[in-house]
């Protein structure tokens, strides 16, 4: 049985393994579960489990065709000893809210939760499909994805990974994270240009390979670590359950009470995982979508019109600087009850005209659960400083966007349900901005900023970031955008 379907045509069905291996459906749609009735998790089933057990359980419900033993091995190998704590994603009480820390993994950003498992899921999917080709992951990154993917795929047998980053488009610490990456199967290369140049370059390589099939001729298949892959979405469902169990255990709620989640999102991936959890039976109150100045999702949730024709802002929360939220397509599919024609039509309009209006039925489904707001940089800096002053909790700019939007939500709705704010990065990944928010003097580079922030706050910088400054640089490649295809072909030995 095939339980996944493309968002753009009912004929494109897939098993979970096929969906993970292919990444995107041949018609350009995204593989999505058609039915959640056989994916329910009861309260009794997860409230007393460990973090790793909850991860296994949520994956087992989502990935039909993967056995419990397989998933258990994948979770163990992917997470064990790689996160700071066996608790994986701790919850901290801050003021009258709860902060879910998703940045305790190897690269100090929430993408570790999914990218620690993706390589194991992709290689297991390949084995299930009987494919023998080596998998070569190509990724363009604006910062966080690249390092998390490198770390995840480093020395995984049967895989190689090539990461392109914009030469001047990532922070000092993000660059140091990537250029010091060890591993026999990894390549890291700067591109002369911005993130869009790197991203378009990668897309052209995929398109060219689709046409000319040069990779397959060499026994290689190209794949991406992009967040539209089901293998990145499914592992994110876990921490909604984990946070809920934590609140019950500490007596903050009773089993069955609704909990709100505030999610700093750009691509709509993280918050969509929350919607999956809700459809799987987790008592979710509201899902609060938090954006920065690139507030295309705020406008969409409030008006039903998605309009990307607007200026692009570079903000202090760069991982959410996105105007095309790819994973919203999956929500349109779910909320319209599988109206593939409607979804395909919206996506065509978005592509051709830059704007679409969602069917009213979608918005009617969306409104009772979703709420949306945004915070621009000035509000973000003010929030970081205030939360530090009032609660002694140091947060990064992405988390501060969410905290600020939570305050707006409470002020407007008087909602009193327990609320979890998802924290997606360590403040030390963005030390310069956090220093600035606290009104402290600017420093010469990212590492000096890290020292100054630690000296001023006493919050310890993660060892994995602090130690980067003494690690040897292993990757110095830098190419023009036009040279990217040749670089990839050399890297894979074509
Ligand atoms: C990627 C990222 C986000 C946004 O995630 P979505 O997949 O767009 O929901 C938020 N914060 C940080 C730090 C990130 O790296």
């Amino acid at each position: 049985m095939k339980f996944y379907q493309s968002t753009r045509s009912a004929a494109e069905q897939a098993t979970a393994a096929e969906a993970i291996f292919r990444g995107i459906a041949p018609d350009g749609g995204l593989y999505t579960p058609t039915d959640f009735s056989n994916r329910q998790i009861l309260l009794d089933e997860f409230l007393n489990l460990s973090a790793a057990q909850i991860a296994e359980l949520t994956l087992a419900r989502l990935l039909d065709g993967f056995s419990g033993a397989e998933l258990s091995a994948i979770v163990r190998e992917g997470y064990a000893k790689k996160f700071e704590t066996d608790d994986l994603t701790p919850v901290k009480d801050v003021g009258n809210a709860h902060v879910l820390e998703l940045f305790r993994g190897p690269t100090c950003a929430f993408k570790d939760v999914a990218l620690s498992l993706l390589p194991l899921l992709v290689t297991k999917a390949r084995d299930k499909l009987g494919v023998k080709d080596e998998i070569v992951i190509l990724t363009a990154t604006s910062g966080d994805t690249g390092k998390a993917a490198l770390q995840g795929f480093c020395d995984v047998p049967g895989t190689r990974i090539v990461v392109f980053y914009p030469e001047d488009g990532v922070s000092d610490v993000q660059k140091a994270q990537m250029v010091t990456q060890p591993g026999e199967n990894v390549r890291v290369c700067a591109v002369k240009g911005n993130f869009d140049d790197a991203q378009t370059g990668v897309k052209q390589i995929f398109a060219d390979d689709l046409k000319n099939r040069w990779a397959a001729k060499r026994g290689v298949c190209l794949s991406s670590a992009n967040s539209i892959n089901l293998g990145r979405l499914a592992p994110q469902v876990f921490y909604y359950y984990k946070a809920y169990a934590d609140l019950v255990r500490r007596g903050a709620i009773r089993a069955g009470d609704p909990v709100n989640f505030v999610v700093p999102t750009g691509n709509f991936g993280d918050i969509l995982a929350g919607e999956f959890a809700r459809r799987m039976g987790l008592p979710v109150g509201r899902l609060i979508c938090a954006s920065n100045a690139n507030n295309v999702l705020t406008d969409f949730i409030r008006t039903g019109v998605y309009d990307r024709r607007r200026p692009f802002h570079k903000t202090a929360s760069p991982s959410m600087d996105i105007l095309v939220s790819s994973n919203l397509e999956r929500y349109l599919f779910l909320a319209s009850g599988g109206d593939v024609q409607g979804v395909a039509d919206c996506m065509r309009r978005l592509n051709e005209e830059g704007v679409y209006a969602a069917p009213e039925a979608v918005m009617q489904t969306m409104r009772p659960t979703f709420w949306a707001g945004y915070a621009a940089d000035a509000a973000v800096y003010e929030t970081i400083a205030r939360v530090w002053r009032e609660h002694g909790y140091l947060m990064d700019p992405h988390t501060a966007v969410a905290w600020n939007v939570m305050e707006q939500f409470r002020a407007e709705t008087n909602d009193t349900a327990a609320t979890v704010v998802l924290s997606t990065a360590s403040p030390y990944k963005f030390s310069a901005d956090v220093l600035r928010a606290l009104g402290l003097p600017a420093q010469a580079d990212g590492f000096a900023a890290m020292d100054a922030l630690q000296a001023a706050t006493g919050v310890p910088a993660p060892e994995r970031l602090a130690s980067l400054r003494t690690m040897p640089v292993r990757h110095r490649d830098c190419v023009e955008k036009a040279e990217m295809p040749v670089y990839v072909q050399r890297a894979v030995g074509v």
Side-chain angles (χ1 to χ4, degrees), residues 109-111 144-145 227 232 236 263-271 319-320 322 327 396 398 424-425 430:
F110 101 99
K111 292 187 173 62
D144 290 335
T145 303
S227 76
R232 275 200 52 188
Q236 292 180 197
V263 191
T265 192
N267 225 344
F268 210 72
D270 202 358
I271 197 165
S319 302
M320 292 151 62
I322 288 175
N327 267 303
D396 100 293
H398 302 78
T424 49
F430 301 95

Side-chain angles (χ1 to χ4, degrees), residues 6-9 28-30 32 326 328-350 356 359 362:
S6 164
T7 45
R8 300 190 193 175
S9 85
L30 308 184
T32 306
S326 322
L328 186 58
E329 177 169 351
R330 285 191 163 109
Y331 186 77
L332 296 178
F333 173 83
L334 290 173
S336 64
D339 173 10
V340 288
Q341 219 45 57
V343 174
D345 196 47
C346 287
M347 292 304 115
R348 187 184 49 74
R349 278 171 204 271
L350 181 63
Y356 66 84
V362 167

Side-chain angles (χ1 to χ4, degrees), residues 28-360:
L30 308 184
Y31 290 114
T32 306
T34 47
D35 184 10
F36 282 86
S37 61
N38 54 351
R39 304 183 192 279
Q40 299 299 302
I41 298 177
L42 305 175
L43 291 168
D44 294 351
E45 281 183 280
F46 76 94
L47 286 177
N48 294 316
L49 299 184
S50 69
Q53 287 169 325
I54 296 176
E56 273 173 51
L57 176 65
T58 49
L59 284 171
R61 289 296 144 86
L62 282 164
L63 303 181
D64 319 272
F66 285 71
S67 72
E70 285 169 342
L71 291 170
S72 164
I74 285 172
V75 166
R76 207 173 332 107
E77 197 182 327
Y79 290 149
K81 309 249 179 339
K82 294 183 183 158
F83 279 62
E84 275 177 44
T85 140
D86 289 342
D87 198 31
L88 302 179
T89 57
V91 174
K92 303 276 165 74
D93 296 331
V94 179
N96 56 0
H98 309 276
V99 175
L100 171 57
E101 296 186 340
L102 302 175
F103 58 80
R104 300 290 179 185
T107 79
C108 306
F110 101 99
K111 292 187 173 62
D112 286 327
V113 178
L115 281 164
S116 299
L117 300 192
L118 182 71
L120 304 166
L121 291 170
V122 171
T123 48
K124 180 59 76 183
R126 175 189 55 190
D127 296 348
K128 283 182 184 294
L129 300 176
V131 177
K132 294 281 180 286
D133 291 358
E134 182 181 38
I135 296 170
V136 175
I137 301 291
L138 289 189
T139 293
T141 183
S142 59
D144 290 335
T145 303
K147 175 62 181 182
L150 286 165
Q151 190 71 36
F153 280 93
C154 167
D155 290 334
V156 171
T159 72
R160 276 195 255 186
I161 174 162
V162 182
V163 169
F164 291 105
Y165 68 93
E167 193 181 19
D168 299 313
V170 299
S171 77
D172 295 340
V173 172
Q174 287 175 322
K175 180 169 175 180
Q177 281 189 302
M178 291 189 277
V179 298
T180 58
Q181 175 68 45
E184 291 302 312
N185 63 339
V186 310
R187 288 292 196 95
V188 177
C189 182
V191 176
K192 290 183 188 141
N194 59 25
F195 171 63
D196 271 337
D197 293 318
Q199 169 116 307
T200 332
V202 165
K203 281 190 183 156
Q204 281 165 357
I205 296 173
F206 279 118
D208 181 57
D209 178 54
L210 216 54
K211 216 163 64 211
N212 299 314
R213 300 252 162 233
W214 48 266
K217 285 176 199 152
R218 306 297 162 117
V220 165
C221 70
L222 299 185
S223 184
S224 129
N226 195 288
S227 76
I228 53 180
N229 192 312
L230 173 68
R232 275 200 52 188
L233 191 55
Q236 292 180 197
V237 173
F238 133 73
Y239 47 74
Y240 286 89
Y241 279 88
K242 159 72 170 51
Y244 192 95
D246 281 348
L247 294 198
V248 173
R249 281 178 208 146
R250 71 183 60 173
I253 57 167
R254 281 170 312 181
D257 288 349
V259 170
N260 299 330
F261 291 90
V262 192
V263 191
T265 192
N267 225 344
F268 210 72
D270 202 358
I271 197 165
L272 184 72
E275 171 68 7
F276 275 30
R278 193 183 71 80
R279 287 181 181 248
M280 290 163 75
L282 187 71
V284 173
R286 305 295 296 270
L287 289 169
I288 297 148
C289 175
S291 301
N292 62 26
N294 296 295
N295 56 358
V296 61
L297 282 168
T298 315
D299 290 346
F300 173 74
I301 292 170
R302 293 189 173 175
T303 67
V305 176
Y306 194 98
D307 190 350
R308 71 166 161 86
R309 301 168 304 173
R310 60 179 72 204
F312 176 84
H313 300 284
K314 269 182 90 111
T315 74
S317 45
S319 302
M320 292 151 62
D321 289 347
I322 288 175
L323 290 179
V324 176
S325 308
S326 322
N327 267 303
L328 186 58
E329 177 169 351
R330 285 191 163 109
Y331 186 77
L332 296 178
F333 173 83
L334 290 173
S336 64
D339 173 10
V340 288
Q341 219 45 57
V343 174
D345 196 47
C346 287
M347 292 304 115
R348 187 184 49 74
R349 278 171 204 271
L350 181 63
N351 197 21
E352 290 171 5
E353 295 153 36
V355 58
Y356 66 84
E360 178 52 24

